[in-house]
Amino acid sequence: MVNQLKPERQALILHCLLEGVSVNATARIAKCSKNTVLSLLRDAGTVCAQYQDEKLRNLTCRRLEVDEAWSFVYAKERNLDSAVAAPPYAGDVWLWMAFDPDTKLVPSWRIGDRTAETAKDFMNDLKGRLVNRVQLTTDGHRPYLEAVSDAFGDEIDYAMLMKVYGTDELALNVEPIAGEPDLDWISTSGVERQNLTLRMSIRRFTRRTNGFSKLLRNHAHAIAIHYMHYNFCRIHLSIDQTPAQKAGLVNRRYDLFWMVGLIDDFRPKPRRPTRYYKGPQFSN
């Protein structure tokens, strides 16, 4: 590979991206080009998505909370008609995520719209990662009803927690849907707090900024890197270890240099001949 950055420089770039620094600012800090940052973003995002898809399996979660986070690519949906040269998949984008409040693990997420089809894809993926019955809490988004039923059937304890905004105070309505959900476990506070972590860590999710994603694939790569670091590298004070450690997936904390090593292993190796042959010599 020609002109490959040293591991220290790659780790610096990843650190900046994980701390909410924009791509242009990251390029200035790391003293490299914007294309170099975007290239590392794409490689890292691909590796992180593949690794987590393989590793986040056979999970023994007892309870899960689910929510969606809004963002947009290139332009907001309401401004697409006036947008110039908008790429495919421009407009509003929703990130669906599951959260385990016991281990702080994010076992599954899905990028798409807010329709029933995306809800079904997300719930089927979540179901395939679990090995036991869980209690699930969602908000009042109606597509969850059919999606949860299709994915889990009767093998779930499921409740909806709906917020009712009045003139004086916020009211919470609890609606048991399936099974026998424990009232003490019906909550979405953990996943909503995780949404705040997401928006503080990824510049592309910051509201009222020019750091939004211009391409959907870069948006997806940034999310994959964030959850890789969140699940496997970041120590949470409430559990004093990473979520992956708490969930029993790994036995130690990983760091950014471990992520860089995965990225380097993923990249194609240079093709160099094992032996060099000296060609015929000519002279005048």
Side-chain angles (χ1 to χ4, degrees):
M1 291 175 288
V2 181
N3 295 331
Q4 179 178 321
L5 295 177
K6 294 182 178 180
E8 293 78 9
R9 188 73 64 84
Q10 296 184 61
L12 174 61
I13 293 173
L14 290 177
H15 194 183
C16 290
L17 296 177
L18 288 164
E19 292 296 336
V21 181
S22 68
V23 171
N24 286 326
T26 299
R28 292 192 294 270
I29 293 172
K31 298 181 180 180
C32 63
S33 70
K34 176 181 177 180
N35 289 337
T36 299
V37 175
L38 291 176
S39 177
L40 180 59
L41 173 73
R42 289 190 290 269
D43 289 345
T46 301
V47 170
C48 292
Q50 292 177 354
Y51 182 88
Q52 292 177 93
D53 183 50
E54 297 172 359
K55 196 71 175 179
L56 297 176
R57 299 283 179 179
N58 300 317
L59 303 176
T60 57
C61 307
R62 298 184 301 163
R63 52 177 174 155
L64 292 171
E65 302 173 11
V66 171
D67 198 11
E68 321 90 55
W70 172 85
S71 58
F72 67 94
V73 171
Y74 193 80
K76 297 177 182 177
E77 198 75 30
R78 65 173 181 265
N79 298 329
L80 273 183
D81 292 339
S82 59
V84 179
Y89 308 108
D92 293 350
V93 177
W94 290 86
L95 172 63
W96 304 64
M97 74 208 75
F99 177 79
D100 181 352
D102 294 320
T103 64
K104 313 303 179 186
L105 187 75
V106 176
S108 178
W109 70 90
R110 174 73 159 79
I111 302 171
D113 53 24
R114 209 165 180 243
T115 62
E117 296 302 321
T118 305
K120 290 180 181 180
D121 290 343
F122 172 63
M123 283 298 167
N124 283 318
D125 178 77
L126 180 60
K127 173 63 171 67
R129 300 181 184 278
L130 304 173
V131 296
N132 54 273
R133 186 185 184 105
V134 298
Q135 175 163 325
L136 179 68
T137 306
T138 70
D139 58 19
H141 191 39
R142 306 315 291 181
Y144 282 124
L145 293 173
E146 185 178 355
V148 173
S149 177
D150 287 349
F152 292 91
D154 297 330
E155 298 299 318
I156 193 169
D157 301 310
Y158 172 41
M160 276 186 166
L161 183 64
M162 291 164 283
K163 297 178 180 178
V164 180
Y165 295 91
T167 55
D168 297 327
E169 59 183 14
L170 175 66
L172 298 177
N173 287 347
V174 176
E175 182 180 348
I177 305 297
E180 299 179 357
D182 187 336
L183 295 180
D184 293 335
W185 283 3
I186 298 176
S187 173
T188 57
S189 299
V191 70
E192 289 172 355
R193 177 58 182 84
Q194 205 285 322
N195 282 347
L196 176 61
T197 300
L198 177 81
R199 293 194 179 279
M200 293 176 65
S201 301
I202 304 181
R203 179 65 184 272
R204 299 163 190 269
F205 278 82
T206 305
R207 299 181 185 274
R208 298 182 180 277
T209 178
N210 61 354
F212 55 87
S213 296
K214 312 308 184 292
L215 296 174
L216 181 61
R217 64 173 181 267
N218 289 344
H219 193 73
H221 292 321
I223 293 171
I225 296 171
H226 166 75
Y227 282 131
M228 183 76 151
H229 182 262
Y230 179 91
N231 284 329
F232 292 90
C233 303
R234 179 173 177 172
I235 290 182
H236 294 255
L237 297 180
S238 61
I239 58 177
D240 198 29
Q241 55 188 329
T242 67
Q245 285 178 285
K246 183 69 173 179
L249 300 177
V250 297
N251 56 13
R252 67 180 181 90
R253 176 199 178 190
Y254 295 132
D255 57 18
L256 291 177
F257 288 98
W258 167 76
M259 291 177 60
V260 170
L262 293 179
I263 298 167
D264 288 340
D265 291 340
F266 164 78
R267 292 188 177 115
K269 299 298 183 291
R271 296 181 178 180
R272 296 192 180 98
T274 56
R275 296 182 61 185
Y276 291 88
Y277 295 93
K278 189 176 182 179
Q281 300 297 309
F282 299 95
S283 65
N284 56 358

